[in-house]
Amino acid sequence: MTSQGQSLNSTLDDNCQVNFRGTLLTIDSYLGDQDVERLKFLCRDSIASKNLEKCGSALDIFDYLMAEERLSEEDPSFLAELLYIIKQRVLLRHLRYTKEQVEHWLPGRRKVSLFRNLLYELSEDISSENLKSMIFLLRESIPKVQMTSLSFLAYLEKQDKIDEDNLTLLEDLCKKIVPNLMRKIDKYKREKASQAGAPPVTKETESLHQGEKELFSHSDINQLLGALPEVSWQDEHAQRNGDRATPVSVEMLGASVDTLTSETSTKETAVYRMDRKHRGLCVVVNNHSFTSLSERPGTNKDAECLKRVFQWLGFSVHIYVNVTKGHLEEVLQQFQTHPGHADGDCFVFCVLTHGKFGAVYSSDGELIPIRQIMSHFTAQQCPALAHKPKLFFIQACQGEEIQPSVSIEADAVNPEHVPPSLQDSVPVEADFLLGLATVPGYVSFRHMEEGSWYIQSLYNHLKDLVPRQEDILSILTAVNDDVSRQADKRGKKKQMPQPAFTLRKKVVFPVPQEELLL
């Protein structure tokens, strides 16, 4: 080959290398600190510990993987597997993979070990409360430093307290703190024994041989249900009335599913997906001052709390202050067509203002029906939010219709008005939730410095119960109980919030890695 030809090939190779590194740079731009920690954990078997400790970004990890020849333009499958595991599946397109392609080849080409996968899956299901309990049980052997579930499991592994053949300590912890995680450990044992060619003899496998079928994990069920059509009216009706769905169990031969019946009394309920690229958008309309109505002191405390808690949950929060009717329509149009919905899990819209039953006031004194606000986000008007939960929280106040005690103001509808059903404000179609600060016909209250009873209780219960993996309706039930127990200084004025919803599944927010500080 001539020197000119060699130079041309070298140039082409350099260009390819630059293009691939450009792809990795793009992927890195979408990954946050939590993603980097997850990648570092999943790469513990592929990159030396001393090198992993130096990694401060995904780019550092990519460099080490390429140096170890675990990642290249010709074979980016390991990175595809990592992105799939940490649920950044929308980024697979940058590697020219689809989620379905990865799912197809992953069982036979898996590079992340079964043990590493197990620990990662367990970490995803260990809440902050569970983690505190586990650390408490091992306090004498665990350093007094802040830990995540991942760093906790990594520490146990580093100290040789657990390994792929010794899960005794982990089993003891799970049995005492999170018994349902034993299913994942048992599944790991069966898969590991299958790779070795002989199934383990345990009580669990004996019961399987006697006819009990293995249930899918929560994530398996969610993926399966996500691929099915909308639930039937009977299923939707049952879920609205609090019944739990029949569990899904399957036997698999290759990639085919032979049955969808259950032979155990364990019950699982369908849960909305929460594994897309973004958690979603949260809009807060905070009206403090009005042209013809009284001001709403304390509302800024509510707005700040909503911003903090929904940012903590992963939402991108947008706050609008003293919004006129015209401006509100502009905001509704903007978010009706917002491109961020496509990769989002959920949508939240909060209104803090004066109001009457079924309607809220703009800052220029115009009364706007709640149903009109919510109608902008139906599947027909906003296709990107179809089949996704849409949550609306309304702290609506009537102003000075009722004279409260010194530090409490009335913050709801006219108590002398007898309204129609609250359900009339909710769109007919599925996947909506409307949380009102009060039942129809009664007042809600707002402390002039500390904020409203309802929003403050919502903030505190989201902060406390999301880490316990409670669903949104359970959280709102706790809010109802909390607010109903509160009263003004004279003990005479009380309040009861009320939700109305057409949700088809449970809304369970993933547990944030960071604790929400007061």
Side-chain angles (χ1 to χ4, degrees):
M1 181 181 294
T2 64
S3 59
Q4 184 176 0
Q6 291 175 339
S7 176
L8 179 59
N9 287 340
S10 176
T11 301
L12 291 174
D13 289 341
D14 289 344
N15 288 340
C16 289
Q17 185 75 354
V18 169
N19 290 339
F20 183 58
R21 286 187 171 273
T23 297
L24 298 180
L25 189 64
T26 300
I27 292 173
D28 170 76
S29 68
Y30 287 101
L31 299 177
D33 292 341
Q34 293 180 12
D35 296 313
V36 173
E37 288 305 307
R38 292 164 182 158
L39 290 175
K40 288 170 68 173
F41 181 83
L42 292 170
C43 290
R44 284 175 62 86
D45 303 321
S46 304
I47 300 175
S49 297
K50 63 179 182 180
N51 292 333
L52 272 179
E53 292 174 0
K54 300 175 185 176
C55 293
S57 69
L59 291 179
D60 295 333
I61 297 173
F62 299 158
D63 266 333
Y64 281 116
L65 289 178
M66 286 191 288
E68 296 290 334
E69 298 184 352
R70 302 297 299 269
L71 174 63
S72 65
E73 183 178 22
E74 293 76 19
D75 183 13
S77 60
F78 185 39
L79 178 55
E81 180 179 348
L82 295 173
L83 294 176
Y84 181 87
I85 292 174
I86 68 172
K87 295 183 174 61
Q88 286 286 3
R89 293 161 191 173
V90 69
L91 299 181
L92 293 172
R93 69 176 186 270
H94 296 290
L95 300 175
R96 299 183 180 178
Y97 283 112
T98 65
K99 178 173 73 74
E100 291 74 20
Q101 286 175 325
V102 176
E103 289 172 347
H104 177 71
W105 57 251
L106 191 56
R109 296 170 53 188
R110 188 183 301 276
K111 296 180 180 178
V112 176
S113 70
L114 289 175
F115 177 63
R116 187 70 45 209
N117 257 309
L118 169 67
L119 296 186
Y120 182 81
E121 288 184 8
L122 292 176
S123 76
E124 291 286 278
D125 289 332
I126 296 175
S127 68
S128 58
E129 290 298 318
N130 298 150
L131 179 60
K132 287 179 182 177
S133 299
M134 289 181 175
I135 291 175
F136 176 80
L137 291 176
L138 301 178
R139 174 49 69 197
E140 294 182 358
S141 57
I142 299 292
K144 293 184 178 180
V145 297
Q146 188 171 358
M147 285 186 169
T148 64
S149 55
L150 270 182
S151 62
F152 172 71
L153 293 174
Y155 178 82
L156 295 183
E157 182 186 9
K158 188 175 182 180
Q159 297 298 312
D160 295 325
K161 296 181 182 296
I162 58 173
D163 59 45
E164 63 178 355
D165 296 313
N166 179 19
L167 298 175
T168 303
L169 176 61
L170 198 52
E171 289 176 294
D172 289 343
L173 291 172
C174 288
K175 286 175 182 177
K176 292 176 181 177
I177 309 298
V178 205
N180 64 301
L181 293 187
M182 286 302 300
R183 187 185 304 165
K184 292 184 182 291
I185 295 176
D186 293 337
K187 181 181 177 183
Y188 162 77
K189 288 182 176 179
R190 290 193 295 272
E191 290 179 344
K192 185 173 182 294
S194 176
Q195 283 188 348
V201 179
T202 66
K203 291 182 179 179
E204 290 78 12
T205 54
E206 285 175 0
S207 65
L208 281 170
H209 294 160
Q210 293 166 5
E212 210 174 274
K213 297 177 183 177
E214 177 193 351
L215 285 176
F216 271 140
S217 66
H218 282 289
S219 59
D220 294 331
I221 291 173
N222 295 341
Q223 291 179 15
L224 178 62
L225 291 176
L228 295 176
E230 288 191 12
V231 296
S232 65
W233 180 88
Q234 289 89 345
D235 290 338
E236 181 177 336
H237 179 73
Q239 289 180 18
R240 289 186 188 179
N241 284 280
D243 296 334
R244 295 174 68 91
T246 302
V248 179
S249 65
V250 299
E251 286 180 336
M252 301 186 68
L253 181 60
S256 66
V257 178
D258 296 326
T259 176
L260 288 175
T261 59
S262 173
E263 298 183 5
T264 94
S265 60
T266 306
K267 295 186 176 181
E268 305 288 353
T269 302
V271 180
Y272 284 101
R273 278 187 61 188
M274 288 287 166
D275 60 357
R276 296 179 178 86
K277 179 179 173 183
H278 302 297
R279 185 72 61 243
L281 302 171
C282 172
V283 178
V284 179
V285 173
N286 177 30
N287 288 342
H288 173 274
S289 303
F290 299 79
T291 56
S292 57
L293 300 173
S294 61
E295 291 187 348
R296 300 182 60 253
T299 188
N300 291 336
K301 177 70 176 293
D302 284 346
E304 178 61 27
C305 285
L306 289 173
K307 176 183 177 181
R308 290 179 62 193
V309 76
F310 282 110
Q311 282 184 338
W312 175 65
L313 292 174
F315 287 86
S316 174
V317 179
H318 305 262
I319 296 181
Y320 298 87
V321 180
N322 299 333
V323 180
T324 63
K325 180 180 180 180
H327 187 197
L328 179 60
E329 183 59 33
E330 291 175 2
V331 171
L332 291 170
Q333 291 290 345
Q334 174 187 347
F335 284 92
Q336 176 181 326
T337 58
H338 200 290
H341 293 317
D343 294 325
D345 296 318
C346 181
F347 176 63
V348 175
F349 198 100
C350 307
V351 181
L352 314 174
T353 187
H354 289 304
K356 290 182 178 179
F357 173 80
V360 294
Y361 280 106
S362 60
S363 65
D364 54 350
E366 296 292 328
L367 202 58
I368 302 163
I370 295 172
R371 185 182 183 88
Q372 179 180 324
I373 293 174
M374 298 176 74
S375 67
H376 283 265
F377 304 99
T378 61
Q380 183 176 3
Q381 297 298 322
C382 185
L385 284 177
H387 309 300
K388 300 177 183 179
K390 296 161 277 284
L391 315 180
F392 292 77
F393 299 101
I394 309 295
Q395 174 62 43
C397 52
Q398 182 62 38
E400 298 177 0
E401 290 287 336
I402 298 176
Q403 295 297 324
S405 56
V406 176
S407 63
I408 300 291
E409 285 192 352
D411 215 14
V413 297
N414 189 332
E416 298 178 356
H417 172 63
V418 180
S421 168
L422 176 62
Q423 197 69 29
D424 293 341
S425 294
V426 182
V428 178
E429 68 173 61
D431 308 314
F432 278 88
L433 178 143
L434 171 60
L436 279 186
T438 182
V439 295
Y442 291 85
V443 299
S444 63
F445 296 104
R446 168 176 36 84
H447 192 285
M448 298 172 70
E449 294 179 355
E450 299 302 321
S452 65
W453 292 356
Y454 176 61
I455 296 299
Q456 292 303 309
S457 182
L458 177 64
Y459 165 77
N460 286 320
H461 282 86
L462 284 170
K463 174 172 66 71
D464 294 340
L465 298 183
V466 165
R468 301 181 191 177
Q469 297 184 299
E470 296 280 359
D471 69 285
I472 191 65
L473 292 182
S474 297
I475 292 172
L476 291 179
T477 299
V479 170
N480 282 7
D481 180 63
D482 177 40
V483 174
S484 70
R485 295 173 185 271
Q486 299 189 42
D488 70 340
K489 287 185 175 180
R490 298 176 185 176
K492 295 181 179 180
K493 293 173 180 170
K494 300 182 76 69
Q495 174 184 336
M496 172 61 78
Q498 178 177 349
F501 60 92
T502 59
L503 298 173
R504 297 174 295 114
K505 309 175 186 179
K506 284 190 173 186
V507 178
V508 180
F509 293 117
V511 180
Q513 294 293 316
E514 302 294 330
E515 186 175 354
L516 180 58
L517 301 177
L518 295 176

